[in-house]
Amino acid sequence: MTNEKKLALITGASRGIGRATAEIFAENGYDLILTCRDSMEELENLADSLRGSCAISCLPVQADMGKESDVARLFSDITHLDVLVNNAGMAYFGLLSRMTAREWHEVFAVNLDSCFYTCRAAIPLMLERHAGRIINVSSVWGAQGASMEVAYSASKGGMNAFTKALAKELAPSNIQVNAIACGVIDTAMNRHLSPEDMASLREEIPADRLGSPREAAALIFQTALAPAYMTGQIITIDGGWY
């Protein structure tokens, strides 16, 4: 028997949902590997805080999850993995007709290619133990589609299909794959909206408010603890919006 702590890898963890997810996993005794693309100072401060308050191991890594080489470097020193949370993501707000090919490919690289790279690397580690949890952070726009956010919606729709297909592939190996489809969560990703747009949006949500990163993170953690028979699900948290 081993007393080795469980290890979770959370991508895009320097702020918002990723940060809140790191905090909840740490509070529950998980050792962590956390990534970000640009906000390394914030990530290092978070890692220091979690080490001190939760007595865990926490490794911050700067990596662009949409680059195969960065993901390969990240996994080169990982010998086991219990939970993978694919949270790294980016939005693009604007007319499709004005979007460049470079911008389109960047959205898909960060939001969808990253899932391919991380899952491909994580699966062998999970197969060794015949156990593992993969949780992809998606969006209600992946099912509903959003005007002015075509690339984002398409990438999250792809993530949902990816989740369902991979869950079927890995179910015989006792590895569960699920996605959390978030509604409007109070993060920096929504700061492009004006106060008037935010007020109008809030009126559409039956809960009459935005969700908090902590609420989304709590659902991610609960999904990591869910019965093994729950796999291939797109679980929505949106205040009753859709």
Side-chain angles (χ1 to χ4, degrees):
M1 297 293 291
T2 177
N3 293 320
E4 188 177 70
K5 287 184 178 179
K6 288 192 173 183
L7 177 65
L9 167 60
I10 302 167
T11 70
S14 63
R15 61 187 70 175
I17 294 172
R19 182 186 183 93
T21 302
E23 291 169 347
I24 286 184
F25 273 84
E27 289 163 8
N28 284 274
Y30 281 71
D31 285 337
L32 299 176
I33 300 172
L34 309 178
T35 79
C36 73
R37 184 170 69 170
D38 302 312
S39 308
M40 197 57 188
E41 183 176 354
E42 290 179 62
L43 192 67
E44 289 175 338
N45 290 339
L46 173 63
D48 286 341
S49 174
L50 295 179
R51 288 191 205 104
S53 62
C54 301
I56 61 155
S57 167
C58 187
L59 176 66
V61 179
Q62 186 165 15
D64 183 340
M65 305 310 294
K67 290 185 177 179
E68 183 177 12
S69 59
D70 279 22
V71 177
R73 172 174 53 83
L74 170 66
F75 273 87
S76 63
D77 294 323
I78 301 177
T79 58
H80 77 280
L81 188 63
D82 298 286
V83 179
L84 168 62
V85 179
N86 282 312
N87 172 71
M90 68 174 295
Y92 175 92
F93 188 79
L95 294 170
L96 182 70
S97 58
R98 296 180 182 174
M99 189 177 196
T100 67
R102 183 192 62 78
E103 290 167 335
W104 172 272
H105 288 301
E106 184 181 17
V107 170
F108 270 81
V110 174
N111 292 354
L112 188 55
D113 292 357
S114 60
C115 292
F116 163 58
Y117 298 141
T118 57
C119 288
R120 184 179 60 175
I123 287 168
L125 301 175
M126 294 179 175
L127 286 175
E128 287 181 5
R129 299 186 174 202
H130 198 67
R133 302 291 174 115
I134 297 171
I135 303 167
N136 300 319
V137 180
S138 186
S139 167
V140 294
W141 296 141
Q144 304 296 331
S147 174
M148 307 286 283
E149 295 189 69
V150 174
Y152 180 78
S153 299
S155 67
K156 292 301 185 179
M159 176 185 278
N160 291 349
F162 179 97
T163 297
K164 288 179 173 291
L166 187 60
K168 292 178 178 178
E169 187 172 312
L170 296 179
S173 301
N174 192 39
I175 299 170
Q176 292 75 44
V177 188
N178 293 289
I180 306 300
C182 297
V184 186
I185 307 298
D186 189 12
T187 69
M189 192 174 283
N190 296 310
R191 302 288 156 75
H192 65 277
L193 297 173
S194 69
E196 293 77 17
D197 287 339
M198 287 300 298
S200 176
L201 186 58
R202 191 176 295 111
E203 289 178 0
E204 297 178 11
I205 301 171
D208 195 33
R209 65 178 178 85
L210 276 60
S212 73
R214 183 79 181 186
E215 288 174 308
L219 181 56
I220 291 168
F221 182 72
Q222 289 167 10
T223 302
L225 300 181
Y229 203 58
M230 191 183 85
T231 192
Q233 302 306 301
I234 314 299
I235 306 159
T236 301
I237 176 169
D238 67 356
W241 193 19
Y242 283 107

